[in-house]
């Protein structure tokens, strides 16, 4: 096989993209009946793997997916995928569906879940260039279902919102529910105002985010910055000294514009670069 970077793992076995197949009766295909998780890889090592696996299993439990894999097995799958693809800087996407079964909304009486995993190369130098300038977000009505803390395959609202951002030449879309900002399509949203970090409360309206957890439990405390979990609107956000999104894919990305309005006159401040620096140091220590 010439290009091993594109290898796909299905239920622990490796396939080329041409060989990899799933049944048309797969419930993930027919109903979005499954879950996903994305794990960042640095220097050939998974970052925050146990935290991500905790999210993965919590979502599986919420959907009552049968447990056929143990944590140790999934860890081995991640490490084997990195070794086989040879990718040192990437993201590993995992998707677990309820498997195949006769067409019908109810769970099949006997079915075997199907696990699909593959690695996605990441251009972190390109992210670095965007980070230096800051990015813009476009707002979108948050009409997602009320269990966003479960990483299900039903992501159509995110797809539509992301495409709106792409067409408008924004970095991402920023969801607004009942007038209050929740998060972006793939990341948590924070602002820095009056010496405090503000963000939406962690509840069923936002995704569980490992990078957010690191910020709130470690980085903010190390820097002596209090965090206020309280919903706020766009006008409040525009008065911030700095704003940013954070997540496994974008790390810490400064936001200098929401829709057509600038934050801090469109300039990147000093806090977000410092958070990124501390994040990189933490990653380097964990992924030696």
């Amino acid at each position: 096989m010439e290009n091993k970077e594109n290898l796909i793992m299905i239920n622990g076995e490796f396939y080329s993209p041409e060989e990899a197949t799933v049944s048309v009766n797969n419930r993930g295909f027919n109903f979005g009946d499954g879950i996903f998780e994305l794990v960042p890889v640095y220097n050939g090592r998974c970052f925050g793997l146990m935290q991500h696996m905790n999210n993965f299993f919590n979502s599986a439990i919420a959907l009552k997916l049968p447990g056929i894999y143990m944590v140790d097995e999934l860890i081995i799958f991640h490490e084997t995928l990195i070794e086989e693809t040879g990718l040192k800087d990437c993201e590993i996407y995992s998707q677990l569906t309820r498997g195949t079964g006769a067409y019908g909304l109810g769970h099949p009486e006997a079915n075997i879940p199907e696990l699909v995993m593959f690695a996605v190369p990441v251009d972190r130098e390109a992210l670095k260039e965007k980070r230096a300038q800051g990015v813009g977000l476009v707002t979108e009505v948050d009409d997602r279902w009320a269990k966003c803390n479960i990483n299900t395959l039903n992501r159509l609202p995110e797809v539509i919102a992301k495409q709106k951002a792409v067409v408008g030449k924004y970095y991402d879309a920023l969801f607004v529910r009942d007038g209050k900002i929740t998060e972006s399509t793939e990341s948590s949203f924070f602002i820095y105002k009056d010496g405090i970090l503000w963000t939406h409360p962690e509840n069923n309206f936002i995704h569980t985010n490992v990078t957010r957890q690191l910020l709130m439990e470690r980085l903010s405390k190390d820097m002596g910055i209090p965090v206020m979990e309280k919903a706020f609107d766009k006008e409040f956000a525009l008065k911030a000294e700095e704003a940013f999104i954070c997540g496994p894919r974008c790390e810490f990305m400064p936001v200098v514009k929401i829709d057509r309005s600038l934050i801090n006159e469109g300039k990147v401040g000093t806090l977000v670069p410092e958070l990124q620096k501390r994040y990189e140091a933490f990653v380097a220590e964990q992924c030696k």
Side-chain angles (χ1 to χ4, degrees), residues 174-193:
L174 188 62
F175 284 121
V176 178
R177 184 186 292 266
D178 297 328
K180 306 295 184 182
I181 293 171
T182 51
E183 60 183 351
S184 75
T185 63
E186 297 182 305
S187 309
S188 298
F189 180 73
F190 283 78
I191 65 169
Y192 180 64
K193 187 176 185 296

Side-chain angles (χ1 to χ4, degrees), residues 53-229:
M53 289 299 94
N54 185 57
N55 291 348
F56 189 72
F57 278 97
N58 283 342
S59 293
I61 291 170
L63 264 61
K64 294 182 171 56
L65 295 177
I68 62 170
Y69 295 107
M70 303 296 289
V71 173
D72 290 346
E73 291 179 284
L74 290 174
I75 290 175
I76 292 173
F77 286 166
H78 280 78
E79 293 174 344
T80 304
L81 191 57
I82 293 171
E83 181 179 352
E84 290 294 324
T85 61
L87 290 169
K88 299 295 184 181
D89 291 285
C90 62
E91 301 162 340
I92 294 182
Y93 177 83
S94 300
Q95 174 177 295
L96 182 69
T97 72
R98 201 175 301 278
T100 61
Y103 188 87
L105 293 176
H107 298 176
E109 291 187 6
N111 64 293
I112 301 176
E114 186 166 67
L115 176 68
V116 176
M117 298 176 63
F118 53 85
V120 181
V122 177
D123 186 352
R124 295 199 168 104
E125 284 302 312
L127 284 175
K128 185 177 180 180
E129 292 176 7
K130 290 184 180 296
R131 198 171 287 120
Q133 300 297 321
V135 300
L137 305 178
V138 61
T139 55
E140 175 68 307
V141 174
D142 192 350
D143 55 4
R144 300 173 296 172
W145 77 325
K147 295 182 180 179
C148 296
N149 54 315
I150 304 173
N151 281 351
T152 75
L153 303 182
N154 298 281
R155 305 189 69 195
L156 189 57
E158 283 98 335
V159 170
I160 294 172
K162 189 71 172 186
Q163 184 60 22
K164 178 181 178 180
V166 170
V167 171
K169 301 189 183 303
Y170 289 87
Y171 182 77
D172 203 353
L174 188 62
F175 284 121
V176 178
R177 184 186 292 266
D178 297 328
K180 306 295 184 182
I181 293 171
T182 51
E183 60 183 351
S184 75
T185 63
E186 297 182 305
S187 309
S188 298
F189 180 73
F190 283 78
I191 65 169
Y192 180 64
K193 187 176 185 296
D194 301 326
I196 299 173
L197 283 171
W198 298 74
T199 190
H200 192 280
E202 185 167 358
N203 57 22
N204 57 298
F205 290 129
I206 66 172
H207 288 288
T208 302
N209 184 326
V210 173
T211 311
R212 169 195 167 100
Q213 292 173 343
L214 174 62
L215 169 60
M216 297 183 65
E217 297 173 7
R218 171 103 183 227
L219 300 183
S220 64
K221 287 180 169 57
D222 289 347
M223 297 175 69
I225 303 175
V227 179
M228 176 69 72
E229 290 188 85

